[in-house]
């Protein structure tokens, strides 16, 4: 979110004492009513009222206000400054009145308690210089505030800037530049109504100043330039307010409101990539990821190569995928509950629904769902689909040994012993263990579970993988001896154990068993 910043190029101050040459001369026929009032709005009677014609810089009047505080003049058309004095009050000043075409004009002079001998800016160069210095201080404080990153320090500098500019305007109220800078101070503090009112006053003042006579040096004062800046700022004020409201809503985590305000701002300025960026951020936080992606894509289109835009887009894609995965996980959990309840048909439907939600690039997550589908298909006696699904899960996540184990166990259940042992013997399934050790442990496990057929096959594979695996000979021989299904093979492997075995107890037991086998083979 970006601060509003205006380049405070200062306009040259022009002393109004030397500005003017001529005003069209007309008969003294234009009525001017001047009202004198105190700060409470009560009439000030007996005040000495004067008007200065800016054509000649000469004062006219010395008229006294009546009991109603009113003084009447009839003057030539032109530009006038109004001033009045009364003991106990500071001089009252009104700038400026434009008289034209005989149309009556009324103006009010406001009196404040103070020194009646106080000099005004056009009467004393030191006073005018003080106004200039205060404006300079205010402008500098305003620029410094905009650049300060510390909120507390920034607020203090804005307050200092506003105070200095207002003090400058108290001395020199017709300084359009000061009034314009005061408008900027209000804008930076998000005081929109005051900013709007100040800009209107600036525009009205510039209208009056532009109607004044041509300066003696023939150079046109830069009123048009300042008026253009005022017009531009007035036109932009609704946009600034919308952006400020949107930024505030975003900070307060009112994401829908922030998105609404940014969208309204874009109707006023649809070519600002930062607005699209902020809108995208608000939409993403509101979990409206598709809309957020559309907005950030527009920002990238307007400002290609901006790292912040690319980074946000990447995060939105990740957030969207995460949201989808969370929903998929919820459905997967529902499927697990159905599976545990042995409602395999409905569990399968849930798993398949979850699978459709997982993005293709999320292969490990897809594999998890596929493994659940395969287990469910196995429970439904869907042999071929189960095998195919298990293999697909293994293909997507080849490093996940649990999927291979699940398929091997499925093969065992289906009495596909060779297929099961092939999986256990696979280097990917065995991990860092030698194959003969994997087969040996599998043989022991199956033997303990009473599955002598699988145990026998596993021990045979262990021997084939490592003919020096002595204990495999022993376990296989004992298994065959106990089953009495192949005494000859039992005698063969136990005889081999006598050659390679080292376990004393096993060697003693082997000798005893071989004696029995010899008798059984006669």
């Amino acid at each position: 979110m970006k601060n509003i910043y205006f380049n405070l190029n200062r306009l040259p101050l022009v002393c109004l004492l030397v500005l003017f040459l001529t005003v069209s001369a007309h008969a003294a026929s234009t009525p001017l009513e001047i009202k004198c009032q105190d700060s409470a709005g009560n009439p000030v009677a007996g005040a000495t009222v004067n008007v200065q014609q800016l054509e000649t810089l000469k004062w006219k009047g010395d008229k006294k206000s009546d009991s109603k505080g009113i003084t009447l003049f009839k003057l030539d058309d032109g530009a006038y400054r109004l001033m009045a004095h009364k003991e106990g009050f500071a001089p009252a000043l009104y700038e400026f009145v434009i008289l034209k075409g005989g149309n009556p004009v009324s103006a009010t002079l406001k009196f404040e308690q103070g020194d009646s001998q106080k000099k005004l800016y056009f009467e004393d160069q030191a006073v005018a210089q003080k106004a200039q210095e205060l404006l300079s201080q205010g402008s500098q404080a305003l620029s410094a505030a905009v650049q300060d990153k510390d909120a507390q320090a920034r607020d203090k500098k804005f307050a200092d800037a506003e105070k200095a500019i207002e003090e400058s305007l108290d001395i020199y109220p017709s300084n359009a530049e000061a009034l314009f800078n005061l408008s900027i101070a209000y804008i930076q503090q998000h005081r929109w109504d005051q900013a709007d009112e100040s800009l209107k006053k600036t525009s009205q003042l510039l209208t009056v100043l532009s109607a004044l006579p041509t300066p003696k040096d023939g150079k046109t004062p830069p009123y048009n330039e300042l008026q253009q800046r005022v017009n531009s700022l007035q036109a932009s004020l609704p946009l600034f307010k919308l952006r400020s409201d949107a930024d505030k809503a975003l900070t307060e985590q009112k994401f829908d409101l922030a998105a609404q305000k940014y969208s309204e701002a874009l109707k006023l300025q649809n070519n600002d990539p930062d607005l699209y960026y902020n809108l995208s951020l608000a939409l993403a936080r509101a979990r409206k990821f598709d809309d957020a992606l559309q907005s950030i894509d527009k920002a990238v289109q307007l400002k290609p190569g901006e790292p912040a835009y690319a980074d946000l887009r990447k995060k939105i894609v990740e957030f969207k995928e995460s949201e989808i995965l969370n929903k998929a996980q919820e459905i997967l959990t529902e499927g697990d509950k159905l599976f545990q309840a042995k409602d395999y048909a409905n569990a399968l439907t849930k798993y398949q629904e979850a699978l459709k939600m997982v993005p293709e690039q999320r292969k490990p997550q897809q594999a998890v769902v596929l493994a659940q589908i395969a287990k469910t298909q196995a429970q439904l006696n869907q042999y071929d689909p189960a095998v195919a699904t298990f293999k697909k899960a293994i293909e997507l996540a080849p490093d996940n040994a649990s999927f291979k184990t699940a398929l091997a166990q499925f093969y065992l259940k289906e009495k596909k012993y060779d297929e099961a042992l092939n999986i256990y013997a696979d280097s990917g399934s065995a991990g860092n263990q030698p194959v003969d050790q994997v087969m040996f442990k599998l043989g022991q496990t199956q033997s303990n579970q009473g599955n002598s057929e699988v145990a026998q096959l596993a021990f045979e594979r262990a021997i084939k993988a490592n003919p020096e695996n002595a204990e495999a000979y022993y376990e296989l021989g004992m298994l065959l001896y106990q089953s009495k299904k192949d005494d000859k093979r039992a005698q063969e492997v136990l005889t081999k154990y006598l050659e390679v075995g080292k376990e004393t107890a096993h060697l003693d037991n082997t000798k005893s068993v071989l004696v029995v086998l010899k008798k059984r083979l006669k």
Side-chain angles (χ1 to χ4, degrees):
M1 295 177 283
K2 305 198 175 200
N3 284 322
I4 305 167
Y5 175 65
F6 302 96
N7 185 12
L8 303 179
N9 293 322
R10 302 195 57 252
L11 296 174
L13 290 175
V14 181
C15 182
L16 292 176
L17 289 172
V18 295
L19 270 180
F20 314 110
L21 271 177
T22 60
V23 179
S24 300
H26 292 277
S29 59
T30 301
L32 172 61
E33 178 187 70
I34 301 175
K35 299 177 182 179
C36 297
Q37 296 178 352
D38 63 15
S39 58
N42 301 313
V44 176
T48 301
V49 182
N50 291 279
V51 296
Q52 184 185 35
Q53 188 178 39
L54 297 177
E55 171 190 15
T56 62
L57 299 181
K58 291 181 179 181
W59 290 94
K60 298 180 181 182
D62 280 341
K63 290 188 176 185
K64 297 291 184 178
S65 58
D66 62 18
S67 61
K68 295 182 180 179
I70 295 175
T71 307
L72 297 175
F73 286 86
K74 278 197 173 183
L75 301 169
D76 294 338
D77 284 359
Y80 292 86
R81 173 185 287 122
L82 316 181
M83 185 170 66
H85 292 80
K86 184 176 174 64
E87 192 66 31
F89 293 93
L93 176 66
Y94 187 99
E95 293 180 328
F96 299 102
V97 169
I98 303 296
L99 303 181
K100 185 177 181 181
N103 296 316
V105 175
S106 178
T108 300
L109 284 168
K110 287 287 187 179
F111 283 84
E112 300 287 344
Q113 296 289 331
D115 182 6
S116 61
Q117 301 303 314
K118 176 184 176 181
K119 296 294 183 182
L120 301 179
Y121 78 93
F122 53 83
E123 297 175 313
D124 188 333
Q125 184 60 37
V127 177
Q129 183 61 33
K130 179 62 176 176
Q132 174 66 34
E133 290 172 358
L134 286 167
L135 176 57
S136 179
Q137 290 174 18
S139 299
Q140 291 173 8
L142 191 56
S143 295
V146 170
Q147 298 172 19
D148 202 317
K149 294 183 179 180
D150 182 84
Q152 187 173 359
R154 184 169 59 247
D155 290 343
K156 183 180 184 305
K157 288 175 182 176
F158 278 134
D160 292 343
E162 183 180 333
K163 182 174 181 292
I165 296 171
E166 286 179 338
E167 289 179 358
S168 176
L169 282 166
D170 286 341
I171 299 171
Y172 185 176
S174 60
N175 189 338
E177 178 192 0
L179 196 54
F180 179 69
N181 282 359
L182 182 61
S183 305
I184 294 175
Y186 290 144
I187 289 173
Q188 295 289 2
Q189 297 174 86
H190 302 166
R191 290 154 62 182
W192 309 112
D193 291 340
Q194 289 173 281
D196 184 49
E197 184 63 26
S198 183
L199 286 170
K200 288 178 181 177
K201 288 181 179 179
T202 307
S203 185
Q204 292 167 358
L205 177 58
L206 286 169
T207 300
V208 174
L209 293 173
S210 298
L212 295 177
T214 305
K216 289 181 179 180
D217 60 7
K219 295 181 180 179
T220 303
Y223 300 139
N224 289 340
E225 177 188 341
L226 183 55
Q227 183 65 67
Q228 289 174 0
R229 294 167 66 192
V230 170
N231 293 343
S232 176
L233 204 50
Q234 282 181 310
S236 299
L237 205 58
L239 175 62
F240 297 150
K241 185 178 187 304
L242 281 170
R243 293 188 71 151
S244 174
D245 291 345
D247 291 346
K248 181 181 178 183
L250 188 60
T251 300
E252 294 175 349
Q253 299 188 15
K254 298 176 181 177
F255 304 124
D256 287 328
L257 178 60
Q260 175 192 333
K261 293 294 183 181
Y262 284 129
S263 296
E264 291 176 16
L266 281 165
K267 292 178 182 177
L268 300 178
Q269 187 176 17
N270 63 1
N271 61 347
D272 187 336
D274 287 333
L275 270 178
Y276 282 106
Y277 173 89
N278 288 350
L279 173 59
S280 179
L281 183 60
L283 289 167
R285 297 297 297 275
R287 316 190 84 81
K288 298 177 180 178
F289 300 114
D290 290 335
D291 292 339
L293 286 172
Q294 289 182 8
S295 185
I296 196 61
D297 285 343
K298 184 64 176 179
V300 171
Q301 179 183 345
L302 290 169
K303 193 176 180 180
E306 173 59 45
Y309 298 171
D311 183 60
L312 178 59
R313 192 186 195 288
K314 179 181 177 182
K315 288 180 179 178
I316 292 172
V317 170
E318 291 173 352
F319 290 152
K320 180 181 177 181
E321 288 184 358
S322 178
E323 180 82 359
I324 292 173
L325 287 174
N326 288 338
K327 291 180 180 179
Q329 182 59 52
E330 291 176 4
I331 296 172
L332 192 63
T333 300
E334 293 176 14
D336 290 342
K337 291 179 180 179
L338 292 168
F339 186 94
Q340 292 168 6
K342 298 184 178 181
D343 186 357
Y344 301 121
N346 286 320
L348 182 60
T349 299
K350 288 293 183 181
Y351 291 145
Q352 290 171 335
E353 181 182 350
L355 181 63
K356 293 177 182 178
M357 299 177 66
V358 181
E360 290 185 5
Q361 61 271 26
R362 296 288 186 131
K363 293 182 179 180
Q365 288 82 356
Q366 278 191 328
V368 170
V369 183
L370 285 168
Q372 290 300 104
I373 291 174
K375 291 177 183 178
T376 309
Q377 289 170 330
Q379 292 294 335
L380 292 169
N381 297 318
Q382 298 176 5
Y383 176 81
D384 290 336
V387 170
T389 307
F390 271 126
K391 289 183 176 180
K392 181 63 176 178
I394 294 169
E395 177 187 340
L396 293 177
D399 295 331
N400 193 326
S402 66
F403 299 155
K404 296 177 182 179
T405 300
L407 176 56
Q409 291 174 346
F410 175 64
Y411 278 137
L412 289 176
K413 178 185 174 184
E414 296 296 319
K415 301 187 183 301
K416 302 289 184 180
Y417 301 135
D418 285 337
E419 289 87 341
L421 293 174
N422 287 338
I423 292 176
Y424 281 119
D426 179 73
S427 59
S429 301
N432 295 324
Q433 289 184 302
V435 173
D436 67 303
Q437 290 297 323
V438 174
M439 290 293 103
F440 180 78
K441 290 179 180 179
L442 177 63
Q444 286 184 314
T445 300
Q446 294 298 316
S447 179
N448 292 335
Q449 293 176 356
N451 195 343
S452 60
E453 184 177 0
V454 179
Q456 178 183 337
L457 293 172
F459 289 134
E460 291 283 10
R461 292 229 182 180
I463 293 170
K464 183 177 181 181
N466 180 13
E468 300 302 317
N469 190 328
E471 292 305 309
Y473 288 109
Y474 177 79
E475 293 292 342
L476 176 59
M478 290 301 166
L479 188 65
L480 292 170
Y481 166 72
Q482 293 167 0
S483 67
K484 299 181 181 181
K485 291 182 178 180
D486 193 344
D487 287 347
K488 185 176 182 180
R489 178 59 176 160
Q491 184 183 52
E492 180 182 334
V493 295
L494 288 174
T495 301
K496 180 65 178 179
Y497 183 72
L498 290 178
E499 297 176 11
V500 297
K502 297 180 181 180
E503 182 70 35
T504 302
H506 285 178
L507 286 170
D508 291 343
N509 192 35
T510 298
K511 291 175 182 177
S512 299
V513 169
L514 282 173
V515 171
V516 175
L517 285 172
K518 185 176 180 181
K519 292 180 179 179
R520 284 186 356 198
L521 287 169
K522 286 184 179 180

